[in-house]
Amino acid sequence: MADSPLAVTDDGAIRTLTVNRPDKLNALDRATLEALYSAFSAAETDPAVRVVVLTGAGPKAFVAGADIAEMNGLSAVQGRDFSALGQKLMRCIERMPKPVIARINGFALGGGLELAMACHLRIAAETAKVGQPEINLGLIPGFGGTQRLLRLCGRAATLELCLLGTPITAARALQFGIVNEVVPADALDARVQTLAQQLAQAAPLALRGILDAVHIGGECALGEGLAYETAQFGLMFATEDMREGTAAFLARRPPVFQNR
Ligand code: COA
């Protein structure tokens, strides 16, 4: 496992993917991007997995960006392909039919912030720093940063982060709406575990419906999004889990969802 750029562990229905290049602050080279894509594709189709947690190895970094040493030697065509590979991974994560939590344990810079933004929930340690510092390398974000940051927190914050390239604190990222929660570093594991457990026990088909509807709504006009929501809502009435959830409420007992 020491040589693998990605560690995969399971705890019940919770799969944790840990980018495992701590000596390089978990920078994303092509091999790591490929390993992440394979791991997310496997998690998507594995019925035993209900939630994915994504994090970085070591105390210092979630992911400190795309691998600068690797990028330094790329041609324009290879640079375009590198961006396409990163974007393919981010799209795969964003479109996962199961919730993905980013456990931001340290620096989430450049490709690291882009990776976190592709996840569905972002929980940051208060010691974490996030940013899009590509401008300092004579580059622009290439794994979706200009687009996802814009949609997540608007033009002002996006332009500030991308034009200045200065990393911001987790507290400021919370103000911008880039992360969902900031917790003390020693409380990060417990908080992520609590959220992951909650999601692991939720109705998987309803989680999927929400992820689909929100994703599609972010890319289409309101009327189309509302029509999609109605169709998904109706579909829930064909699930055993909807019968179970409503029956459990009426019987004042906790529901047990079966993914059916
Ligand atoms: N790509 C490749 N290697 C990286 C990297 C990246 N994005 N970020 C860090 N590393 C490597 C460093 O080169 C160093 O390797 P070395 O020990 O072989 O020299 C190691 O990780 C530790 O990083 P270092 O810079 O010594 O740590 P630091 O605590 O002084 O600084 C950062 C931490 C995050 C501020 C700094 O590493 C940094 O600015 N990284 C680049 C961030 C960036 O621009 N990301 C966007 C890339 S598109």
Side-chain angles (χ1 to χ4, degrees):
M1 189 57 79
D3 292 327
S4 169
L6 192 66
V8 181
T9 55
D10 284 336
D11 173 12
I14 303 166
R15 175 156 298 173
T16 298
L17 305 179
T18 305
V19 181
N20 190 31
R21 302 183 72 208
D23 293 350
K24 297 293 175 189
L25 303 189
N26 304 318
L28 301 173
D29 59 3
R30 280 176 287 200
T32 308
L33 292 170
E34 297 280 11
L36 278 164
Y37 186 78
S38 297
F40 273 101
S41 301
E44 177 176 347
T45 53
D46 186 338
V49 177
R50 290 198 182 181
V51 184
V52 178
V53 174
L54 176 61
T55 193
K60 214 165 151 182
F62 173 72
V63 165
D67 191 308
I68 298 169
E70 191 172 76
M71 285 194 295
N72 180 252
L74 299 185
S75 68
V77 170
Q78 288 169 326
R80 183 198 60 191
D81 290 349
F82 188 57
S83 169
L85 175 61
Q87 289 197 4
K88 183 177 83 161
L89 168 64
M90 305 311 161
R91 200 76 173 148
C92 167
I93 297 172
E94 184 174 64
R95 292 299 284 121
M96 280 284 287
K98 307 167 183 189
V100 182
I101 304 172
R103 174 188 174 278
I104 305 175
N105 51 309
F107 290 112
L109 301 175
L113 180 54
E114 290 166 312
L115 190 61
M117 287 193 293
C119 298
H120 304 130
L121 292 171
R122 283 163 291 283
I123 312 302
E126 61 191 4
T127 48
K129 290 229 169 89
V130 313
Q132 296 288 166
E134 290 87 347
I135 186 67
N136 300 321
L137 304 169
L139 268 174
I140 74 167
F143 296 168
T146 59
Q147 303 307 303
R148 288 201 179 83
L149 201 49
L150 182 64
R151 285 159 176 76
L152 197 57
C153 58
R155 186 176 292 257
T158 302
L159 288 174
E160 178 184 321
L161 263 76
C162 294
L163 291 177
L164 300 180
T166 310
I168 59 172
T169 61
R172 188 117 196 275
L174 184 64
Q175 285 174 353
F176 279 156
I178 297 173
V179 299
N180 295 89
E181 280 184 42
V182 176
V183 298
D186 62 4
L188 184 63
D189 276 332
R191 184 60 185 143
V192 169
Q193 178 72 8
T194 298
L195 291 171
Q197 290 286 4
Q198 179 180 335
L199 290 165
Q201 283 160 21
L205 295 168
L207 290 174
R208 182 181 191 143
I210 290 165
L211 291 168
D212 271 354
V214 170
H215 181 77
I216 284 175
E219 298 195 344
C220 69
L222 178 62
E224 293 165 39
L226 289 172
Y228 189 81
E229 183 188 86
T230 291
Q232 285 288 314
F233 184 80
L235 198 57
M236 294 302 132
F237 289 74
T239 68
E240 289 179 26
D241 284 348
M242 176 269 176
R243 302 292 159 201
E244 165 65 8
T246 49
F249 175 84
L250 294 171
R252 297 181 181 275
R253 63 171 174 80
V256 180
F257 296 116
Q258 306 283 355
N259 195 15
R260 289 200 290 261

